[in-house]
Amino acid sequence: MENPIAFQGSEKARRIQAMFAGIAPTYDQLNHWLSLNIDKRWRRAAVQEVQDVLTRPGARALDVCCGTADLSLELGRLAPTVGVDFCQPMLLRGMEKVRQSGRPVHLLAGDALALPFADASFDVATVAFGIRNVVDLDGALSELYRVLKPGGQVAILEFSHPVVPGLKSLFGFYFTQILPRIGNAVSRSGYAYSYLPASVQNFPDQPTLAARMTQAGFQQVKWRNLSGGIAALHTGGKPALAGQ
């Protein structure tokens, strides 16, 4: 793979990039284990939200912040898919999974704030557990809107704010006290799995993210809480052209 690309943004973006590079070898194992494999169900729910669009003739999907390509591969069951991520070690692990799958998925290095595609290139655009790591949320939403075809659909799957009172307290304890200790120990990182709960706590809640998507131009924005709001799936559409 070519040399690391230059990304827009700050030193924070470079630190996040380096952090994900460091945990790439254990990323899949820890994600599935620490979530009791619920993350797989969440990704399938995201694909179900966009499957009607992906079954259109000639449809193409874009998976931004694709990491090791778990969601890209699920999308690839239905349509040719391009996955983009700013962390090359994560992409390399994803490429091996793509080769083994034989699905029409292509992965490449790219910046969520400057996607290397022309306007209106994809019928579906997705992000799973990655948009909270982008240093400019509104810029990323704008890019997703730009590369989406009129009549296309976006799906954003992200950790969110639990809405069940008892679950909120229990999950908060697990997320801030248990998960960082296990994750950092297994990944041998002193930071990555402490960063995770902090990044979620600082990320907009469900209504706020929906409002930001609407400001970016998406219409019919809605969200669905998954597992009591531990994660949320936001969807929206790019208006179709007149006559479509």
Side-chain angles (χ1 to χ4, degrees):
M1 186 178 291
E2 60 269 14
N3 293 330
I5 61 177
F7 297 104
Q8 294 184 13
S10 61
E11 179 61 28
K12 177 182 177 181
R14 290 187 286 273
R15 288 199 307 270
I16 293 172
Q17 183 187 34
M19 178 191 71
F20 279 105
I23 65 174
T26 58
Y27 183 79
D28 284 338
Q29 175 189 7
L30 275 172
N31 270 7
H32 304 325
W33 184 46
L34 291 172
S35 72
L36 304 178
N37 279 324
I38 295 174
D39 64 312
K40 295 180 180 178
R41 188 193 314 163
W42 292 340
R43 289 186 181 88
R44 288 194 293 269
V47 174
Q48 289 173 0
E49 285 289 338
V50 297
Q51 65 181 356
D52 288 346
V53 178
L54 286 180
T55 54
R56 297 173 183 170
R60 299 174 66 219
L62 172 66
D63 184 25
V64 179
C65 305
C66 68
T68 60
D70 277 352
L71 182 56
S72 301
L73 287 166
E74 289 294 326
L75 294 165
R77 293 177 184 271
L78 299 176
T81 299
V82 178
V84 176
D85 200 276
F86 74 162
C87 180
Q88 291 180 329
M90 299 282 278
L91 286 171
L92 289 173
R93 301 189 76 83
M95 287 175 179
E96 181 57 32
K97 291 155 67 174
V98 168
R99 281 193 290 268
Q100 293 175 2
S101 75
R103 295 173 192 164
V105 175
H106 177 66
L107 305 183
L108 56 88
D111 184 355
L113 297 176
L115 293 170
F117 308 107
D119 296 354
S121 294
F122 298 93
D123 301 88
V124 163
T126 64
V127 189
F129 307 114
I131 201 162
R132 74 181 187 282
N133 300 314
V134 180
V135 296
D136 179 2
L137 172 60
D138 295 321
L141 293 173
S142 178
E143 275 293 272
L144 290 170
Y145 186 88
R146 180 185 67 80
V147 300
L148 202 61
K149 293 179 182 178
Q153 191 169 14
V154 67
I156 299 175
L157 174 62
E158 188 55 86
F159 288 115
S160 197
H161 299 259
V163 295
V164 180
L167 176 64
K168 184 174 183 179
S169 299
L170 180 63
F171 180 69
F173 177 77
Y174 171 74
F175 213 44
T176 60
Q177 302 298 321
I178 306 300
L179 182 147
R181 295 180 183 180
I182 297 174
N184 287 338
V186 174
S187 67
R188 297 183 180 180
S189 168
Y191 172 67
Y193 287 87
S194 299
Y195 162 84
L196 173 60
S199 68
V200 174
Q201 290 173 349
N202 294 327
F203 192 70
D205 63 11
Q206 293 92 319
T208 304
L209 178 57
R212 302 274 280 272
M213 292 173 65
T214 299
Q215 290 172 4
F218 293 106
Q219 294 186 351
Q220 297 180 322
V221 175
K222 60 184 179 179
W223 75 87
R224 176 157 62 101
N225 287 319
L226 305 174
S227 302
I230 292 174
L233 177 58
H234 285 69
T235 57
K238 186 171 183 176
L241 298 175
Q244 280 191 332

